[in-house]
Amino acid sequence: TRTCIRHHRGPFVSRSTSLVVRYLAGLERQPDAPAVQGPEQALSHEQLWSRVSAMGSMLQAEFPQVGARIALCAKNHVNHLSAYLAILLAGHVWVPLNPLNGRVINESIIGRVRPDRILFDRDCATDAVSWPGAVLLDGYADNGIFEPRTRAESDVAAIKFTGGSTGEPKGVLQTHGNMVAAIENLNAFYSFSASDCNLVVAPMTHGSSHYLLPVLAAGGRHYFPSGPGAGEVLDALADGCTIAFMPPTLIYKLLREASSPSRDFKSLRHLTYSAAAMPPERIEAAQAVFGSCLSTLYGLTEAPLTITGLGPREMIDPELRGSVGRPCGSSEVEVVDGQGAVLPAGQVGEVRVKGPIVMAAYLDDTEHTQRAVRSGWLHTGDNGFLDDAGYLKLVGRASEMIISGGFNVFPAEVENALAAIPGVIESCVFGVPDEYWGERIEAAVVLSVDDALEDHAILDAVREAIGPVRTPKRLHRLAALPRNAVGKVVRADLVAQLSETGPAGLKG
């Protein structure tokens, strides 16, 4: 019914088909069709398979027993794709290391995972040469016949670390069952086909990785742009790409560069954003440039990418743009109070998810695992509510809620009001201890022209939109906001930065 609080969209599907079978099905479907494209390189499915099998044979010769932990540190390119597939199809465990993490974080991950082998590309060589067991990625050569290995659903496929935007990154054990379930959910959302071309622009070490296998399994191809700049990405989108996955911040950059009349994006059927919310005004701006192809997915490392989704047709409806959609495929979603009681439609509480995408555990961390996963439900730490039709609307992280003057204020609602103001590129809202308010609301803003807006004009616009209680008491103008390796703004780093360099009043 429309008032049901537990929501599940679509039939449950069999997850017996392994990653190996899926990939080989795509290979056999169109071996001569393009699997990798870009200005600098093109490979057919059969040519890509030659690279995958060469690396896979080497890994199997070096590690005959399944389950070796293979860390992979590389930027987005075809050798990264080949190594990713080889590790999984060889029956080993993939440990992604994002080059943008920096040496300290990646060495912390290495110390906690203790990988059997580390593969790295030349861009990571400065850091990786000192890592134990590190081998240059393009140094691997064919070592004999490669026999892909099918693993059980409960076997660990990957150890992926959370972004660390709210604390110490945790190692998430993702199983083969998790990966296959995410693929099924993505297939239901996108209906992948042999005509699809996926733009690989977000780091393959994170959410973008979940597109790699299902697109190939459908007989489609991946497009690697010539560079990370907005111009190169726009050229790729206009060069026949049908699917692209990226953070909202990159879409904002594209909008500022997309003035050339020579480009059109008629092939693009899904421009999907994730990792952060996008204000309705920015959604409209993106639709005006790229057409009615904008979509969004909501997920966590602990429940990869497909908790909920909002498709392009739904995104056209202004009433739905503030949501992250309805549950994907086999995912079930509830909103609960602090005691775990399911809340009725419209009431804000913690979002929890159940289904085959939910992680097995945190690496060597029973305490946090038991705290996060209870009776099969993953407690996300995100607050939100379900409407009568089952659409989920997020209001912010539970840990980030500000209590100011006795009122609960979520940073996201203030940030949305700021985003609606012309000239405000982005913002980050936070609370500061205050003797009078309890917590004082402050905001850091990045403006398109530094002196185009006076502080009082910005604050007046926010006050008019959401009232005085939620209006920041102080603005901080910055050239850029601090981000982690996957592009998320790190609120704690921002507060620390302003405490060191900003006005003394920041500390309360």
Side-chain angles (χ1 to χ4, degrees), residues 47-124:
Q47 289 170 327
L48 176 61
W49 170 250
S50 294
R51 295 193 178 202
V52 172
S53 60
M55 183 163 290
S57 68
M58 187 81 172
L59 289 173
Q60 286 182 337
E62 188 174 3
F63 303 103
Q65 300 300 315
V66 298
R69 294 177 176 180
I70 311 297
L72 177 56
C73 186
K75 292 187 175 180
N76 287 0
H77 47 66
V78 66
N79 281 348
H80 188 162
L81 171 63
S82 303
Y84 164 83
L85 293 169
I87 292 167
L88 291 177
L89 299 181
H92 297 315
V93 178
W94 172 52
V95 183
L97 300 174
N98 190 339
L100 298 177
N101 281 341
R103 177 193 287 266
V104 173
I105 292 178
N106 280 336
E107 290 185 353
S108 172
I109 292 173
I110 291 168
R112 291 162 67 181
V113 174
R114 301 179 298 279
D116 299 286
R117 171 66 66 221
I118 303 173
L119 305 178
F120 65 95
D121 67 7
R122 296 186 184 279
D123 288 314
C124 305

Side-chain angles (χ1 to χ4, degrees), residues 395-467:
V395 297
R397 296 287 297 175
S399 60
E400 293 172 351
M401 185 177 72
I402 303 167
I403 303 177
S404 184
F407 292 90
N408 294 343
V409 179
F410 288 97
E413 56 189 335
V414 185
E415 290 163 359
N416 284 341
L418 286 164
I421 302 171
V424 177
I425 295 176
E426 60 180 343
S427 65
C428 183
V429 173
F430 52 91
V432 177
D434 186 275
E435 291 183 2
Y436 179 77
W437 295 103
E439 286 185 282
R440 183 176 67 249
I441 301 171
E442 298 196 3
V445 294
V446 178
L447 305 179
S448 57
V449 181
D450 187 58
D451 60 352
L453 288 170
E454 298 290 341
D455 283 5
H456 70 82
I458 298 173
L459 297 176
D460 287 347
V462 174
R463 188 176 295 106
E464 183 176 351
I466 56 176

Side-chain angles (χ1 to χ4, degrees), residues 155-208:
D155 289 333
V156 175
I159 304 174
K160 299 179 71 174
F161 279 74
T162 59
S165 58
T166 58
E168 179 71 17
K170 302 180 184 66
V172 175
L173 303 183
Q174 290 184 353
T175 66
H176 281 261
N178 295 152
M179 283 194 169
V180 172
I183 288 172
E184 291 287 2
N185 288 349
L186 287 173
N187 274 328
F189 188 74
Y190 289 99
S191 299
F192 293 122
S193 73
S195 62
D196 274 322
C197 178
N198 172 52
L199 176 61
V200 186
V201 62
M204 291 162 58
T205 51
H206 289 76
S208 181

